[in-house]
Amino acid sequence: MYRYRAFNLNFSSEVFLSECTAGTGEQDDFVIIQKKLTPPPLETTNLFRKGIVAQSIVDADGSLWLHWNGVATFHAVNGATLEVDVLTDVPDVLSLFTVSEAIGLILFQKGDFLLHASAVEIAGSGWIFIGNPGAGKSTTCAAFVTAGCPLLSDDLTAIRFDARGVPFIIPAYPQIKIWESSARGLGYQTDTLTPVTEGTNKFSLQPRKNFPVSPVPLERFIFISPSEQESGPFKPGNLPTELIRHFPLPNQLLNPENLKTFFKQSILCAKRIPGNKIPRPDGFEALNQWVTECLARKPLPLPQ
């Protein structure tokens, strides 16, 4: 058994997970075990990774199934156990699929508010970057990390609320994936980075040195838009509708009760956290300039 920590949870795993840091406590919050699985009939999902479309279903007992053909079948039970039927002999591929949506199933069962987004800590507060695939979430996040900001999450962002309803971003694990062009544009030599099996010409940054160990208060949602005409602040009442578009797990999970919970959590965020839609930076010079201004606590939007 390996012992890891991710999303502020300690867990034991029979699967090697290169992205995660070592566990810090004796008590497991959940476990990952290998097991031969026979899932019920599955449905095609909206998830697509490494050329594979996932399949999923919510079982009659409330457990969650997720299947990636040729990679693994995952079964999440009560937020306590993630069963894995391994279908690949490539450890890095199995690790990639496990730390993303599969562990996301456990977080979902534990009641976390989940988004397909990236996040960094800026001056003690959390900024979440949201956008459609290819919008530049990870690249923007990596630019802040390069400038010295602690990484909080990449792709899968988890939010938890305190007793007053205040949202906090939960540090995931110290890895962010960026395309080769982004790595070079941000000043990295790709031969010093780890290639990622998710796709060709993609690399992993692993900022472990200053990775946070405690939840960080959420301060701002930044929606990255391809068009300057679409920039500007969100009205709080529109934010929940926009956030549902960035639910990171299979849509099959959003039954009426879970959808109701998602909107309640969205409303808690909207009451406290501003959302801004900004145009995507026009090149790395503009991106780095905006990062510098943000770190100086200058206001949005992006300079043109």
Side-chain angles (χ1 to χ4, degrees):
M1 274 280 199
Y2 303 97
R3 290 191 54 78
Y4 294 116
R5 184 170 179 82
F7 296 99
N8 241 31
L9 301 173
N10 288 299
F11 62 100
S12 298
S13 174
E14 293 182 349
V15 174
F16 175 70
L17 304 175
S18 59
E19 295 88 345
C20 297
T21 56
T24 58
E26 296 181 1
Q27 184 71 30
D28 281 334
D29 295 294
F30 70 98
V31 296
I32 300 177
I33 61 173
Q34 293 193 44
K35 182 179 181 180
K36 185 64 178 176
L37 298 172
T38 303
L42 300 170
E43 301 173 357
T44 300
T45 74
N46 54 307
L47 301 184
F48 183 87
R49 183 182 292 276
K50 205 175 183 293
I52 307 169
V53 178
Q55 295 176 295
S56 182
I57 200 72
V58 179
D59 215 337
D61 60 1
S63 63
L64 307 178
W65 292 86
L66 181 65
H67 172 76
W68 296 93
N69 190 38
V71 177
T73 300
F74 299 98
H75 184 215
V77 183
N78 297 327
T81 305
L82 181 64
E83 300 172 342
V84 186
D85 189 355
V86 179
L87 306 175
T88 179
D89 58 0
V90 183
D92 286 348
V93 170
L94 179 61
S95 181
L96 171 68
F97 281 79
T98 302
V99 299
S100 53
E101 291 84 5
I103 287 182
L105 299 178
I106 294 291
L107 301 177
F108 183 79
Q109 289 179 326
K110 287 182 176 293
D112 287 350
F113 181 50
L114 304 177
L115 294 170
H116 180 210
S118 300
V120 295
E121 179 181 339
I122 299 175
S125 297
W127 286 27
I128 291 180
F129 301 99
I130 303 175
N132 294 328
K137 299 183 296 295
S138 294
T139 298
T140 302
C141 196
F144 279 95
V145 170
T146 301
C149 296
L151 174 69
L152 293 174
S153 62
D154 181 38
D155 270 351
L156 180 64
T157 295
I159 297 171
R160 293 178 196 154
F161 301 87
D162 68 9
R164 299 168 298 161
V166 177
F168 289 79
I169 303 174
I170 305 305
Y173 46 85
Q175 176 179 272
I176 183 169
K177 305 183 294 295
I178 56 175
W179 295 104
E180 180 178 6
S181 58
S182 295
R184 294 188 182 280
L186 293 172
Y188 292 96
Q189 298 295 322
T190 55
D191 58 0
T192 67
L193 302 178
T194 304
V196 178
T197 56
E198 187 173 5
T200 57
N201 302 323
K202 211 165 189 180
F203 294 87
S204 165
L205 303 182
Q206 298 180 342
R208 295 176 179 264
K209 185 176 181 180
N210 63 342
F211 188 73
V213 296
S214 300
V216 177
L218 174 59
E219 182 181 71
R220 183 169 294 177
F221 290 108
I222 304 294
F223 294 84
I224 302 174
S225 167
S227 171
E228 184 179 357
Q229 286 71 33
E230 297 181 14
S231 63
F234 273 96
K235 295 180 179 179
N238 294 338
L239 191 59
T241 303
E242 181 65 23
L243 290 176
I244 193 64
R245 296 180 55 243
H246 302 280
F247 181 66
L249 302 180
N251 285 339
Q252 284 85 349
L253 276 59
L254 292 176
N255 58 35
E257 187 63 31
N258 289 337
L259 191 59
K260 182 179 179 181
T261 298
F262 186 95
F263 274 103
K264 283 183 177 180
Q265 293 171 323
S266 297
I267 292 169
L268 282 175
C269 289
K271 286 180 177 179
R272 297 175 178 269
I273 309 302
N276 288 81
K277 184 174 286 189
I278 61 173
R280 182 174 178 170
D282 185 14
F284 291 101
E285 183 177 351
L287 174 59
N288 289 328
Q289 181 181 349
W290 181 61
V291 169
T292 299
E293 293 183 355
C294 287
L295 297 183
R297 310 305 288 172
K298 293 185 178 182
L300 298 174
L302 277 168
Q304 296 298 303

